[in-house]
Structure formats: structure tokens, C-alpha cells
Amino acid sequence: MNILLADKLDAQAVDAFKQAGFILAVAKGLTASTLPPEADATEILIVRSTLVPKEVIAGFPALRLIIRAGAGTDTIDVAAAAARGIQVSNTPGRNADAVAEMALGLLLAADRHIPEGTRDLRAGKWTKTALGQGLGLKGRTLGLVGLGSIGHAMARKAQGLEMKVIAWSDHLTPAAAEEAGVGYSPSLLELARTSDAISVHVASTPATRNLLGAEFFAALRSGALFVNTARGEVVDRAALLDAIRNRGLHAGLDVFAGEPKTGEAPFADTELAALATCTPHLGASTDQASEAVAEEVVRIAMVYRETGKAPNSVAA
Ligand code: MLT
């Protein structure tokens, strides 16, 4: 069976594929206009950051399965794949701890002004007075927008810091929140009103685009902390900028709307980056997560080869 690997995958997974007899080709920077010769025979396409719109899918006549080495599938035209009977799978939960660790890091860094302190010291400035104004996390309320595997991991870690954790999602029930050991918030606005800090953990879908807008930010206390390690598209950028500028919001951002889809590329939103503690979508980028994700990618391909049905199938 022919696999095309469009992004970097952990070396152990590459070895596992070879040992299992898969024919493996590698093509980085794949677009509809840069399809490699192997595209014709590819049955399984494996991607991480590479975009897979319908134009790319059209360039793979033998394609049967697309595997996203990550949780989100917003980079893939799942409907176009389904229309051709191509299965799409992801690796949910495998990078949850890594992303939650990043969210926690951004929360702490934004609250305690760690990047600004580093910047100032490197410039020979001792800004202890100006930067010494953290909210402090113990006993504060963290509101989770979304309670999937990453939200759960974030809840556990925040509780380790003795934060009170509450959550909202469009399908969360009081019973499910209780089972997860977090408080239940009946609405997004109620979550905003009752939180000192927010961490975003919802997938990017048409329903969540700009989910967090002006009303949400206006309901937050002034000086609140806001961390997004999910997707930039779920936040209304103008409302976020306004909250940072005019309501003292401290933002920690790992994700941005329209961010570059390759490892090294120019980044456009320097206006927002100048006002936030931020990282270039590194949430899932740990050795532990890479290994766990790659292991799952191999499992999906193996099960698909044996049964014709890929695990973790994502519906269009
Ligand atoms: C995910 O969707 O799981 C992450 O965004 C993966 C990544 O960083 O590529």
C-alpha cells in the first residue's frame, strides 16, 4: 500500500511503516500545483500542517484515506474527501497533555509577564516595578471553553495549581461536568462573567468561527487572563485586540487566524503578537506528543490496511 508523507513524522513511525511493507514517499510543501509523481499511486496521505483542500484531493486519483497527525481536521476538506469515498482520520487525545502544558505555560507567562521581563533584562532594564503586577492563580477561577481531551488535561493541570475550574461547551451537561470534576457553566457569557482566566479548547468548525466576540470579552472582568491554544479562527480578532487595549486583558496565544501552514514562513499578524504573550503554534510540539501521535498514525494505517475501515473516522 502506498503512503505519501507530506509533513514531518516521528522517525519510529517511518521505520514502522517500512517494516510493515508500506511503500513510503515523502513530499514536503505539497500544494495542488506542486504534486509529486507519487501522487498518482498514493492511497494514504498523511499530513500535519499541510492544507488539503479539494484541489489537492483532486490530484490524488487512488487516494483512499487521509490521516491528520493531530486533533483538528480544519485543514482538510472533509466533505470533498467524503464525496469521493475517501476516509479522513485524526489522532484525538494523543497531543492533549502537550497542548495543555502549553496553555498552562502561556497562562503563567501572561500573568507574570515572563516574556517582557526577559526582553527588558536583555536590553539592560530592571523593570521590577512596572512588571510586578501578576493576578496570581491559586484560588482563581479558570473557565474552559470546550471540554474535550485537551480541556480535561488542562482542568487537571490547573487544579494542580489549586485553581477552581469551570467549563462550558455547547454539548456539556451538568452530569458530564461533575464526572470531569469541574464546575458547569450554562452559557458562554456566564463562563466569562464568573472566570478570572479563560482557556480555549474547542475545534474550529463553521459553528465555532468567531465564537468568542465582543460580548464575551465585555463580560470578562478587567485584567482577566485569556489563553488560546485551539485555533485563531474561534476568536473575533478585533474584539480580542479591543479587550487587550481597553480592558487590560492579558492574552497568551499559540494560534492565529490564517497562520502560515509550514514550519518556516513569514507571519502577518505582528499587531496582535505585539500585544500578547505568544508562540508559533507549538502546543503539540513535544517529543512525547510527536511519538504518541505517530504511533496512532501507524495504528490507523495498519487497521485500515487490514479492515478497510480507518479508526477515528471524522464525519464530513
Ligand atoms: C492539533 O490539531 O492537534 C494541533 O494543532 C496539531 C499541530 O500542532 O499540528
Side-chain angles (χ1 to χ4, degrees):
M1 195 162 246
N2 291 278
I3 292 180
L4 186 70
L5 196 53
D7 293 291
K8 193 171 181 301
L9 194 68
D10 188 75
Q12 281 178 16
V14 173
D15 289 346
F17 277 134
K18 287 180 182 160
Q19 275 172 24
F22 285 92
I23 301 162
L24 200 68
V26 177
K28 303 278 165 63
L30 185 85
T31 66
S33 55
T34 60
L35 292 175
E38 292 89 350
D40 281 348
T42 297
E43 293 154 285
I44 302 178
L45 175 64
I46 300 174
V47 290
R48 180 175 174 181
S49 301
T50 299
L51 297 178
V52 191
K54 60 177 183 306
E55 296 78 14
V56 166
I57 294 172
F60 286 85
L63 195 59
R64 307 305 313 148
L65 170 64
I66 303 169
I67 306 177
R68 166 98 219 287
T73 48
D74 52 318
T75 47
I76 299 169
D77 190 335
V78 179
R84 266 195 39 208
I86 297 166
Q87 298 178 50
V88 179
S89 290
N90 63 351
T91 61
R94 294 305 175 119
N95 54 26
D97 280 308
V99 178
E101 284 169 8
M102 178 59 92
L104 205 57
L106 288 170
L107 190 67
L108 287 160
D111 185 37
R112 308 306 297 273
H113 307 293
I114 293 171
E116 293 91 335
T118 306
R119 175 202 64 201
D120 290 351
L121 288 174
R122 286 177 180 166
K125 293 186 203 160
W126 187 256
T127 46
K128 183 170 169 128
T129 307
L131 299 182
Q133 300 162 352
L135 204 60
L137 300 185
K138 180 177 173 179
R140 301 287 188 189
T141 299
L142 174 68
L144 300 177
V145 179
L147 192 63
S149 52
I150 301 173
H152 276 91
M154 184 62 177
R156 290 193 298 272
K157 293 178 202 311
Q159 284 162 344
L161 293 179
E162 300 179 61
M163 296 188 84
K164 179 183 171 204
V165 181
I166 59 175
W168 170 88
S169 88
D170 62 352
H171 53 269
L172 184 66
T173 61
E178 192 180 342
E179 198 181 326
V182 304
Y184 170 76
S185 201
S187 74
L188 202 47
L189 284 186
E190 182 63 16
L191 187 88
R193 275 187 213 110
T194 48
S195 296
D196 300 296
I198 293 289
S199 192
V200 185
H201 301 291
V202 283
S204 174
T205 67
T208 61
R209 183 166 285 263
N210 290 331
L211 177 71
L212 307 180
E215 224 189 334
F216 174 83
F217 286 109
L220 282 174
R221 55 165 283 178
S222 78
L225 296 160
F226 177 82
V227 169
N228 188 5
T229 53
R231 288 292 184 269
E233 285 78 4
V234 304
V235 180
D236 178 329
R237 178 182 174 276
L240 173 60
L241 275 172
D242 180 64
I244 297 172
R245 286 192 176 121
N246 301 317
R247 296 184 47 78
L249 187 86
H250 295 288
L253 307 174
D254 187 43
V255 289
F256 299 84
E259 63 191 43
K261 296 297 174 197
T262 57
E264 308 287 334
F267 173 67
D269 202 352
T270 50
E271 184 187 9
L272 181 53
L275 298 172
T277 295
C278 42
T279 43
H281 202 148
L282 300 178
S285 299
T286 66
D287 289 350
Q288 290 171 330
S290 298
E291 282 163 26
V293 165
E295 203 174 89
E296 182 68 349
V297 167
V298 172
R299 185 182 80 87
I300 292 167
M302 298 277 199
V303 172
Y304 175 73
R305 186 171 66 173
E306 274 168 35
T307 66
K309 199 164 161 26
N312 310 340
S313 175
V314 175

